[in-house]
Amino acid sequence: MLIAQISDTHISEPGTKAYGIAPMAENLALCVEHINQQEPLPDVVLVTGDISCSGKEEELAYAADLLDKLTMPYYVIPGNHDNRSALLSVFQGDRCPVEVSIDNKFIHYVIDSFPLSLIAVDSTMEGEPGGEICEERLAWLEKQLIINGDKPCVLFMHHPPARFNVIESDIDGFVGSDKLGEFVCKYPNIQQILCGHLHLATFQQWNGTVISVAPSTGMGLLLDLTMKRPSQFFLDPPSYQLHLWNSKQSLISHTVVVKKGERSYLFKKQ
Ligand SMILES: [Fe+2]
Ligand SMILES: [Fe+2]
């Protein structure tokens, strides 16, 4: 099974660039084209939030137009730049199979039709940049993991639930991180927690699993491990993750960088 993961696409309204400078729609189109040409073809694509720049329905609808060109199923979850109700009005259905009711305001769901179950977790906190898992979401997650039994699974959510020594995780924070960590320890079948938000490709062992953070499709975070400077981003070639679940039952993650018009150069060993 092959999973592609796209994150932090930050799509602005048609005809504009994100923050006036980043060609994020063009970047997303390049990633989609690249994924469609992968061999083997990914079985599924996970889009891990910050799909839009500011949560507007027009931005999300434009992102949907670009993502709909994928030739395989894809699933979305919200990030802190998205808006739950706008996201649902654009994506609810096959691309976001969530049942939202008075009792459930969160965008979480389970895809169990693959060898690896895909569990979408809503880590957003209305109006806040940081992440959260509250008692209600934890209870929902526990119920899903009990139903899932010992079948291998991944969680996918926008915010990484741990500190990575960068402002985006350590200052933005994650409410409920300790409780989620204690809980995750009990389920060794959680292969990885696939996240975004940091605009960095980075990994961390955490409570018996691995938190794997996908890069943005073109806005990289300038790495500052001193955390003294305000966050700065730079224009990066678009990139995405490929997660390969192999017959040895391990999940291998690769970062794929999409460089427009560049050919690979073969270096021969001397
Ligand atoms: Fe982002
Ligand atoms: Fe984010």
Side-chain angles (χ1 to χ4, degrees), residues 5-27:
Q5 182 190 0
I6 294 176
S7 203
D8 294 82
T9 53
H10 288 262
I11 297 297
S12 53
E13 288 174 46
T16 66
K17 290 183 174 178
Y19 310 102
I21 188 164
M24 297 303 277
E26 187 188 330
N27 288 350

Side-chain angles (χ1 to χ4, degrees), residues 8 10 50 197 199:
D8 294 82
H10 288 262
D50 281 0
H197 187 60
H199 293 227

Side-chain angles (χ1 to χ4, degrees), residues 132-205:
E132 178 183 33
I133 186 138
C134 54
E135 293 293 338
E136 208 176 331
R137 281 174 272 189
L138 211 50
W140 174 87
L141 183 57
E142 178 149 45
K143 191 173 159 200
Q144 306 315 312
L145 284 164
I146 289 168
I147 294 168
N148 185 63
D150 54 12
K151 184 180 168 188
C153 63
V154 292
L155 311 186
F156 64 108
M157 57 206 274
H158 181 63
H159 298 86
R163 292 168 179 239
F164 278 75
N165 214 108
V166 292
I167 288 175
E168 276 58 29
S169 57
D170 296 23
I171 307 292
D172 288 357
F174 192 104
V175 177
S177 167
D178 290 347
K179 281 195 176 165
L180 180 62
E182 285 166 26
F183 172 81
V184 160
C185 277
K186 295 190 276 178
Y187 294 91
N189 55 324
I190 300 175
Q191 302 300 313
Q192 284 194 21
I193 303 178
L194 308 178
C195 306
H197 187 60
L198 303 188
H199 293 227
L200 283 174
T202 182
F203 308 87
Q204 181 175 166
Q205 248 187 340

